[in-house]
Amino acid sequence: MINFNFTICVLLMALGASAQQNPENQFKNTSWVQQGYGRCLKIEDSTYTYYNTNNMNCKALAEGKMSGRFTIVSLDKNELILNPGGIVNYIFKRVDSLPPMCTHPDSAAASYEENFKVFWETFNDNYAFFRERNINWKQVYEDYLPRVKKISSEKELADILREIVKKIGDGHIRLEVPDELKTKVAVAAPVIRRKKDDIVKAIQERYLVDKHTYNNGVINWGKLKSTKIGYLMIKDMNNFSAYVSPADKYQPDFAKKYDQVKDSRLPLMQFEDEINGVDQIMKKILADIGQSDSIVIDLRFNGGGLETVALRLLSYFVGESKHVLSVEARTDQGNTAKQKYILQPANSAYKGKVCILLSGQTASAAEIFALAAQHYPNIRTMGTRTAGIFSEILWKELPNGWEFSLSNEIYTDSNGKTYEGTGVPVINELNYSRNRLDFYNSFYSGDGFTDKAMDQIRQVD
């Protein structure tokens, strides 16, 4: 999904594009407040400053000269809409001036209590899923404020905030504190820790023929042994760009080479490269296994990435355009207007039946794939409901400099139903454990390996 750094780059792109398209520079000396994200933008003669705001302070996230690297969705006197290359448009409302704290920041150190209040108020204004997570946020304030008033160290504050994060139970909430403030976890008794890559390798060796891989294993494909069923495992919704030659795909320094090329590309180009990479590899995959009557898409080990990549991949397995999801963002005044996403099928889409394998480790952008896929009758699902964390990660900062993130975007299906917290359900339930270690271990019995999903699919064929 669209990340924090990319959002900053979007603004840089948008401002530059507008400067080129509008000779009179209608951006000059304007101020804008972003709807639903707690951020604002100041544009002067030829430079911009982008701020992260809360109820106590206002901090510049990025600033510099305008550079033409983006397309504006719309612009008028009072509203600016930017699209960051994803499926969500970002809406800015014009204001006469930024909050005074943006131009005259208070340099005084904030107390533990003030930091706690900023944390609580930021969630109160922007977090979208208290009801889905069964959290009484006002009660959290009443329960923890008396404790905060008694603390005397940063370590105590960090422990309290971590306790609150754990109570919410959202995988997209993170709290970044200095290493010296982190609580050491006692080492448990030795257990066998299965690795994801070992399971992926075992599936390929036990069940597949005509095996292929791309970009260091981000996507793998082949056919199930003794069947006419195609198999496609997608491990990530990132890193599809064709930056490294196929000859180097197994080299130990693949990631280093990939990142070197990626870092040399402008941010918008990086996202275009991802989509081009999907198109390129999907043509090869369908050429290899496209004649099969059915195909398995394995997302059980996919923790997410870019929603644009996920939906582009799905477009190769659907036969018609459909409204598959909507997105809105939480604000202190309610929610922003819903933005509908219509999935368009690829020009050369797969024609057979599709079975998607899901687990509790299927998260974020991989869940968006599953959410959109359930609108198509040729697609069935097997495994266990997904993780239930769809939103983009919105990064914020406390007055003391600690960074934290939250979920502020609400993804719903075409009927307006959200699966946040519960996850996308499956048709054929296999009761996988929600615990990652237990899930990985479930593939093994002693020294033996078996995949009950793959066994069921082969028996049906």
Side-chain angles (χ1 to χ4, degrees):
M1 299 180 68
I2 307 159
N3 63 24
F4 165 76
N5 290 330
F6 182 52
T7 304
I8 296 175
C9 293
V10 164
L11 293 168
L12 183 66
M13 296 171 191
L15 300 178
S18 177
Q20 294 174 358
Q21 297 168 7
N22 301 277
E24 299 300 321
N25 192 5
Q26 62 194 91
F27 279 121
K28 184 177 181 180
N29 297 323
T30 57
S31 300
W32 306 83
V33 173
Q34 189 172 359
Q35 302 300 291
Y37 294 77
R39 291 172 181 162
C40 56
L41 178 70
K42 174 66 177 177
I43 304 170
E44 298 179 352
D45 289 344
S46 61
T47 61
Y48 76 94
T49 306
Y50 185 45
Y51 297 91
N52 210 352
T53 64
N54 57 47
N55 292 333
M56 273 198 67
N57 56 15
C58 175
K59 183 175 180 179
L61 295 173
E63 57 188 357
K65 293 184 177 180
M66 303 176 185
S67 178
R69 297 182 292 176
F70 194 68
T71 301
I72 295 172
V73 175
S74 67
L75 168 66
D76 60 32
K77 182 178 179 181
N78 296 311
E79 184 177 83
L80 168 65
I81 303 179
L82 309 176
N83 180 274
I87 67 172
V88 180
N89 292 332
Y90 291 86
I91 303 170
F92 293 80
K93 298 295 184 180
R94 186 168 178 173
V95 293
D96 293 335
S97 62
L98 298 182
M101 59 187 176
C102 293
T103 53
H104 299 87
D106 185 357
S107 59
S111 66
Y112 300 132
E113 181 177 339
E114 288 171 327
N115 276 281
F116 168 78
K117 288 182 177 179
V118 166
F119 180 85
W120 186 90
E121 289 164 354
T122 302
F123 271 84
N124 192 60
D125 291 345
N126 293 113
Y127 187 68
F129 303 110
F130 291 125
R131 179 172 57 83
E132 288 77 4
R133 301 279 175 183
N134 196 28
I135 299 295
N136 183 332
W137 195 236
K138 291 183 179 179
Q139 189 63 48
V140 168
Y141 184 87
E142 294 175 3
D143 290 345
Y144 283 91
L145 182 60
R147 290 176 55 184
V148 172
K149 288 182 176 181
K150 296 177 181 179
I151 65 176
S152 58
S153 70
E154 287 187 324
K155 177 65 166 56
E156 292 175 276
L157 176 63
D159 288 344
I160 285 177
L161 296 185
R162 275 195 294 261
E163 186 177 320
I164 295 173
V165 168
K166 185 177 180 180
K167 182 187 293 287
I168 300 174
D170 183 331
H172 275 171
I173 298 178
R174 301 170 188 172
L175 175 66
E176 302 293 337
V177 301
D179 289 343
E180 61 270 18
L181 301 181
K182 294 178 180 178
T183 301
K184 294 183 179 180
V185 179
V187 179
V191 295
I192 298 176
R193 295 187 178 276
R194 307 293 185 180
K195 295 181 179 179
K196 176 171 66 175
D197 288 344
D198 292 336
I199 298 173
V200 171
K201 183 179 179 180
I203 291 173
Q204 293 172 340
E205 292 178 348
R206 181 177 177 87
Y207 294 98
L208 301 187
V209 293
D210 300 330
K211 296 172 285 189
H212 304 272
T213 189
Y214 173 72
N215 272 11
N216 211 27
V218 68
I219 190 167
N220 306 277
W221 68 98
K223 294 180 180 178
L224 299 192
K225 292 179 179 178
S226 304
T227 75
K228 297 180 181 179
I229 302 173
Y231 176 83
L232 180 62
M233 174 182 282
I234 308 170
K235 289 173 56 181
D236 206 326
M237 297 301 181
N238 290 306
N239 301 329
F240 278 79
S241 302
Y243 291 153
V244 181
S245 70
D248 293 329
K249 63 185 178 183
Y250 295 117
Q251 299 302 314
D253 61 348
F254 173 90
K256 181 179 179 181
K257 289 182 177 180
Y258 187 95
D259 289 341
Q260 284 177 342
V261 179
K262 180 179 179 179
D263 292 344
S264 70
R265 305 282 286 169
L266 293 173
L268 182 58
M269 292 180 180
Q270 293 178 14
F271 286 82
E272 293 174 348
D273 292 343
E274 290 275 358
I275 296 302
N276 291 335
V278 169
D279 291 339
Q280 175 180 307
I281 198 58
M282 282 306 304
K283 289 178 181 178
K284 176 170 176 51
I285 290 171
L286 293 182
D288 288 342
I289 59 177
Q291 299 303 314
S292 60
D293 297 327
S294 61
I295 190 170
V296 176
I297 301 177
D298 196 341
L299 300 180
R300 290 175 294 177
F301 310 97
N302 192 317
L306 300 171
E307 88 282 9
T308 47
V309 166
L311 292 168
R312 188 64 157 228
L313 285 165
L314 178 59
S315 74
Y316 281 89
F317 300 95
V318 301
E320 61 179 313
S321 301
K322 283 191 176 185
H323 168 212
V324 294
L325 59 86
S326 298
V327 189
E328 57 192 302
R330 166 71 179 164
T331 79
D332 58 349
Q333 302 298 319
N335 296 339
T336 60
K338 283 189 176 182
Q339 300 180 38
K340 292 184 177 181
Y341 180 80
I342 309 298
L343 181 64
Q344 305 288 345
N347 292 331
S348 54
Y350 181 76
K351 303 300 183 182
K353 295 180 180 179
V354 179
C355 177
I356 303 176
L357 302 183
L358 304 172
S359 77
Q361 306 308 309
T362 306
S364 198
E367 295 184 86
I368 292 174
F369 184 110
L371 174 69
Q374 65 181 354
H375 293 79
Y376 292 89
N378 68 308
I379 299 177
R380 64 188 179 96
T381 53
M382 176 184 290
T384 293
R385 60 186 174 86
T386 61
I389 47 173
F390 295 82
S391 172
E392 162 62 10
I393 297 176
L394 177 65
W395 282 99
K396 308 297 286 185
E397 185 173 314
L398 295 178
N400 65 5
W402 297 354
E403 294 182 341
F404 64 100
S405 65
L406 53 87
S407 302
N408 74 313
E409 292 175 343
I410 305 166
Y411 281 74
T412 57
D413 64 15
S414 60
N415 296 316
K417 181 178 180 179
T418 179
Y419 296 89
E420 187 77 22
T422 60
V424 178
V426 296
I427 296 172
N428 188 347
E429 179 64 59
L430 297 181
N431 296 309
Y432 290 137
S433 172
R434 309 294 289 176
N435 178 275
R436 182 174 61 182
L437 179 59
D438 292 340
F439 169 57
Y440 288 173
N441 284 339
S442 70
F443 288 87
Y444 296 86
S445 178
D447 294 330
F449 177 91
T450 188
D451 185 338
K452 57 185 177 182
M454 300 290 273
D455 288 338
Q456 283 193 23
I457 291 168
R458 293 178 66 197
Q459 290 172 4
V460 172
D461 181 61

